[in-house]
Amino acid sequence: MRPNFRSPIAALSLFVLTVSASAAFAQANPAPAAQEAQQMKQIPLTEKQIENLLAAQKEMDVITDKLPEGAADKPDPKLQAQLEGVAKKNGFATYDEYSDVAANVTLVLSGIDPKTKAFTEPPAILKKQIADVTADKKILDKDKKEILVEMNEALKYTSNVQFPANVALVTKYYDKLSAAMKEDE
């Protein structure tokens, strides 16, 4: 059984990966892409975008599963074209738009308690979990150090939700979105 602090780590890691994937497929040069990965573009979400994201998710997963490790530097044009095609087929103007929606959804998901559906800003959750892991005497020092490095790295890329309406919308679709995102893990 996985400890409770790992679930938000997975969500936050997925968030960071989603933002990084968006940057990887950007047409710009590497310097702006790296900057984009650090500064996630928060957008107000619509119900239609959530529905489109859910519709596209399985097809996107099939394509992204084909991406080799380290593909962020040199995305395969065929896979990039497939991602663009799936995004457009599911109501997004571009893969970047799909990626922005996915990153915003993941940010909100990372702050929702699965049992109560109560929302807490992701940085606050992560800070509390860092404190919990630091205080946990049951975790081996080697493992604790690795977990804390991962959590502190995720904290660098995690911000508060800028659009409160996104929380209500993602909460409404929480079960479907959570199931779709778990398939990614």
Side-chain angles (χ1 to χ4, degrees):
M1 184 173 184
R2 294 169 77 171
N4 286 340
F5 58 81
R6 293 236 183 217
S7 178
I9 291 173
L12 288 169
S13 296
L14 178 61
F15 162 72
V16 171
L17 288 172
T18 301
V19 173
S20 297
S22 174
F25 293 109
Q27 296 294 327
N29 63 32
Q35 186 178 11
E36 181 180 336
Q38 292 176 359
Q39 298 296 323
M40 184 191 104
K41 177 182 175 184
Q42 290 198 39
I43 58 172
L45 297 170
T46 67
E47 197 154 349
K48 186 67 175 163
Q49 287 173 318
I50 301 290
E51 291 168 358
N52 291 348
L53 177 75
L54 288 167
Q57 196 62 41
K58 284 188 181 183
E59 271 187 276
M60 288 292 191
D61 289 346
V62 170
I63 298 167
T64 57
D65 287 346
K66 296 176 187 176
L67 292 173
E69 284 290 319
D73 295 339
K74 301 173 193 167
D76 178 354
K78 280 186 181 180
L79 291 179
Q80 184 175 353
Q82 288 176 351
L83 291 168
E84 288 287 341
V86 172
K88 288 178 182 177
K89 178 176 119 180
N90 287 285
F92 296 99
T94 63
Y95 175 74
D96 286 342
E97 180 189 356
Y98 163 86
S99 190
D100 287 344
V101 170
N104 279 267
V105 166
T106 304
L107 176 64
V108 175
L109 279 176
S110 70
I112 297 175
D113 181 290
K115 292 178 183 160
T116 66
K117 306 294 190 283
F119 178 78
T120 304
E121 291 291 351
I125 290 173
L126 200 47
K127 287 176 185 174
K128 182 188 180 315
Q129 291 173 340
I130 288 170
D132 291 347
V133 169
T134 302
D136 193 333
K137 305 266 188 242
K138 297 176 188 173
I139 303 173
L140 297 174
D141 286 340
K142 178 185 172 197
D143 293 339
K144 186 182 290 192
K145 182 178 179 181
E146 185 179 313
I147 291 167
L148 289 172
V149 165
E150 184 178 330
M151 293 174 95
N152 281 306
E153 187 66 22
L155 188 57
K156 291 178 190 176
Y157 298 100
T158 305
S159 60
N160 289 331
V161 175
Q162 293 176 0
F163 298 98
N166 288 358
V167 174
L169 192 55
V170 172
T171 301
K172 176 180 176 180
Y173 285 89
Y174 178 82
D175 293 330
K176 290 179 182 179
L177 290 166
S178 180
M181 297 300 180
K182 281 184 183 173
E183 291 173 9
D184 289 346
E185 293 177 10

